[in-house]
Amino acid sequence: MVINTVGHLAEAAWHHPRHHGVVCVGRGPLQNHAAKGITDKDFELAKKIEEVVHWQPAKAGGALEGTPVGDQRFAYIKYDG
């Protein structure tokens, strides 16, 4: 799901960096292959990816409460801190 989210955000931003994603944890560097290095676009896209992926409905307030705590069906959803 994380890799698909990254793909969607990159497409929406019309920025297509080479992403070395590790599927099990969804982490990896962005690098613009056309620029042959990291650009401001990469940093901006990385910030948006972190914002979306680390969103926690229960902490955001509102009607969305997030996944049930302790329910093993959702154990793959982990948040830092």
Side-chain angles (χ1 to χ4, degrees):
M1 284 187 263
V2 170
I3 299 301
N4 287 336
T5 300
V6 170
H8 170 76
L9 293 171
E11 190 67 27
W14 197 246
H15 177 56
H16 303 96
R18 193 164 105 205
H19 180 257
H20 303 284
V22 178
V23 175
C24 64
V25 293
R27 296 183 182 167
L30 297 173
Q31 181 179 15
N32 185 316
H33 56 275
K36 304 208 185 321
I38 298 172
T39 68
D40 288 342
K41 289 181 180 182
D42 298 302
F43 286 108
E44 193 170 329
L45 181 58
K47 183 178 178 180
K48 179 54 73 178
I49 290 167
E50 285 188 2
E51 178 185 313
V52 170
V53 171
H54 292 287
W55 174 63
Q56 296 181 44
K59 289 187 177 180
L64 301 172
E65 57 192 54
T67 55
V69 176
D71 189 325
Q72 288 304 306
R73 295 176 295 170
F74 306 105
Y76 68 94
I77 299 175
K78 300 191 183 334
Y79 299 106
D80 294 337

